[in-house]
Amino acid sequence: MSFLLKSTKERADVWGALFRSELPDLPFHVWPETGNPEDVQFLATWEPPPDLLTTFPNLEVIFSVGAGVDQFDMTRIPDHVTIIRMIESGLTDGMVEYVNWAVLTLHRDILAYVRQQRQHEWKPVHNKIASQRRVGVMGMGTLGSPVASALAGAGFLCSGWSRSRHEVEGVTSYAGPDELDAFLAASEILVCLLPLTDATRGILNASLFSRLPKGAQIVNVARGAHLVVPDLIAALDSGQLSAAILDVTSPEPLPADSPLWDDQRVLITPHVASVSQTETAGRVLLDTVRRYLAGERNFHSMVDRSKGY
Ligand code: NDP
């Protein structure tokens, strides 16, 4: 049996050294060098090679090196293969940091001041303080819950919405489709941290925007395909929304002719909100493989194929 990594050189160097020293009996290969493909028991990758089934007939576990698994075509991964996604502290910390920045940027109207600066315009706007600002986090999972907790800790009136109810101190909890409207009505700044599934694709659309308070602002740090771009632009034009920070687009990179590039109500970052940190993620990977080799089969980072995340 062996472990195969298909990722960056930095990860290959650091994780290779870690695995070789801590699990010397498990051969560690770095794509495109696979060793004997029949020996590959574990594969860690962002995107699996196209001919996964035939190339690695004895594959048991596929790890996503990121938090999401929407890039995996589940129909091509045999049922007996366990899918495990990345849950690690560095990834969470990075997301908390980015969303704090994005929410503060919108909360303090910084996009408007950047526009004013370009016009040499000095026009202060009376601003609220955090305890007067309602922020909603869609998706209260591994990333959404600590994000909401940090926003509440910074003083915002924070709510969270997910499929099942998550109680987080200082955060008002909403769950399921029946409570979505009440959640949206309480979200002047809406943060999307949902996984991309059939149920959530296109969820940031005209209907949802119309249920937010007038002039609401959005932060999308989940996936570009959650957002219907023409609906966003129409909502910005009508004043239903006033600004958006988008870390993700569909497709990526954002095409050169996208109207989003030059829209001064929109701030775009190139999918940098958070990434798996090499040191901490390597330790998590090693720990999971060790536990798997010891016979454990239940991991909280295991993907539920029926839910798609
Ligand atoms: P989790 O799976 O831990 O959490 C997902 C949350 O969304 C859960 O609370 C879940 O509810 C909720 N949810 C899922 N489907 C629905 C639905 N149909 N209706 C309501 N709630 C729903 O994911 P993570 O927090 O780890 O990551 C979230 C996403 O963030 C990733 O899938 C990825 O797309 C994105 N991401 C973006 C990064 C970036 O740099 N921009 C970096 C890392 C991740 P429940 O708890 O009830 O299951």
Side-chain angles (χ1 to χ4, degrees), residues 136-243:
V137 178
M138 301 182 89
M140 287 291 284
T142 307
L143 300 176
S145 286
V147 159
S149 174
L151 291 169
F156 289 102
L157 297 169
C158 193
S159 305
W161 178 75
S162 40
R163 254 152 76 126
S164 57
R165 194 169 302 285
H166 290 258
E167 301 295 352
V168 173
E169 197 182 335
V171 178
T172 309
S173 159
Y174 295 90
D178 293 349
E179 297 181 12
L180 179 59
D181 283 3
F183 164 77
L184 294 174
S187 300
E188 293 169 282
I189 298 175
L190 180 73
V191 178
C192 181
L193 261 170
L194 291 166
L196 184 63
T197 66
D198 290 343
T200 65
R201 189 178 304 275
I203 194 168
L204 299 176
N205 59 30
S207 158
L208 180 140
F209 298 150
S210 72
R211 290 176 277 159
L212 294 169
K214 180 114 181 134
Q217 311 184 85
I218 68 163
V219 177
N220 188 15
V221 272
R223 287 290 180 261
H226 284 120
L227 175 68
V228 180
V229 172
D231 289 6
L232 170 69
I233 293 172
L236 289 167
D237 288 345
S238 73
Q240 177 56 25
L241 295 182
S242 59

Side-chain angles (χ1 to χ4, degrees), residues 46 70 220-225 246-255 261 268-272:
W46 177 246
D70 51 284
N220 188 15
V221 272
R223 287 290 180 261
L246 309 177
D247 181 55
V248 284
T249 62
S250 179
E252 291 180 0
L254 184 64
W261 282 117
I268 293 163
T269 54
H271 201 144
V272 292

